Amino acid sequence: MTTSILSPQVQNHSVENSIQPKIEGMIDELSASLPDPKQLTSDQRRGIIARYTAVLEGNFIYWMAATLISVKSEGARPHLLENLFEEVRDAHPVMLRRFAIAAHAFPTDSDALVVDEDLTKVRKFLGRLSATQSLATMAFFEGFIQKFMAYLADLATLQGSTDMEYTDVHGVCDIEHTQGLFTALSEEMEVNPLNPEADIFEGVYLLRTLVQTIVFGQTETLAA
């Protein structure tokens, strides 16, 4: 079966008026489901920070690098490279580790095991190197993280932490990164459209489930 390449106008219309609004809707729904930090116990707050750190510290750069090597559009690459450049240059994993330690929430083996199954699914999915699906997945994650930073800071503050460099930096830079990823998705779809039989949101659903496991400590699947 041959796949026709849609015009740039149609592709951009699809991202701006179909894909992006759906992803933003899922971000809003997930954000609205977050429990009130003040209603959580200290152990529950610690668990969220620890599981988040167990996932992000060693995986975000890998996820973004996998997305970068999957894309075929030259127009998409600069958006991904800029994100990776900032992550590496400013040592964001170091910021995150320091953030977790200051909140007395450095992850244990038990924390890592809670998220292991869902994290493995995301790793394997991105390892398929499906460019448009990967870009949609990372756009979802960047968009969610930008909104999640204030929540994460509240958790840490209630745990007695005053080290908020990680949440301060990502609460600002991820706004631009999110839009850059949607732009990259439009660029990629112009030259490398997804097979019509594939679901562009497949990775988004997997990553959403992982986030739910980070927050709730168990898999809770929202309706697609």
Side-chain angles (χ1 to χ4, degrees), residues 79-216:
H79 301 285
L80 300 167
L81 285 168
E82 179 183 0
N83 197 315
L84 281 168
F85 179 77
E86 291 182 9
E87 285 284 329
V88 174
R89 180 198 61 193
D90 299 332
H92 287 193
V94 176
M95 285 186 202
L96 177 55
R97 176 169 287 211
R98 191 169 62 243
F99 172 82
I101 291 172
H104 310 287
F106 190 73
T108 66
D109 55 349
S110 297
D111 297 312
L113 286 172
V114 170
V115 297
D116 183 65
E117 181 178 353
D118 293 319
L119 175 57
T120 297
K121 290 177 182 178
V122 173
R123 284 170 167 166
K124 288 184 174 180
F125 172 79
L126 291 171
R128 285 160 42 184
L129 303 179
S130 172
T132 52
Q133 288 178 312
S134 295
L135 284 164
T137 302
M138 296 310 295
F140 163 79
F141 192 67
E142 287 278 15
F144 173 75
I145 290 305
Q146 184 269 318
K147 294 192 173 185
F148 188 63
M149 286 301 100
Y151 183 83
L152 196 63
D154 286 345
L155 293 174
T157 298
L158 289 168
Q159 293 299 97
S161 176
T162 58
D163 186 344
M164 301 299 164
E165 182 182 16
Y166 177 81
T167 51
D168 289 345
V169 166
H170 287 79
V172 175
C173 72
D174 286 346
I175 298 173
E176 182 178 351
H177 289 167
T178 303
Q179 188 54 52
L181 285 162
F182 281 121
T183 301
L185 178 57
S186 294
E187 296 275 357
E188 186 68 17
M189 289 178 68
E190 292 179 15
V191 300
N192 183 27
L194 184 65
N195 185 315
E197 296 178 356
D199 183 356
I200 195 167
F201 301 107
E202 181 181 354
V204 176
Y205 298 142
L206 291 174
L207 195 46
R208 180 180 62 177
T209 297
L210 175 58
V211 170
Q212 291 171 315
T213 303
I214 289 171
V215 173
F216 299 104

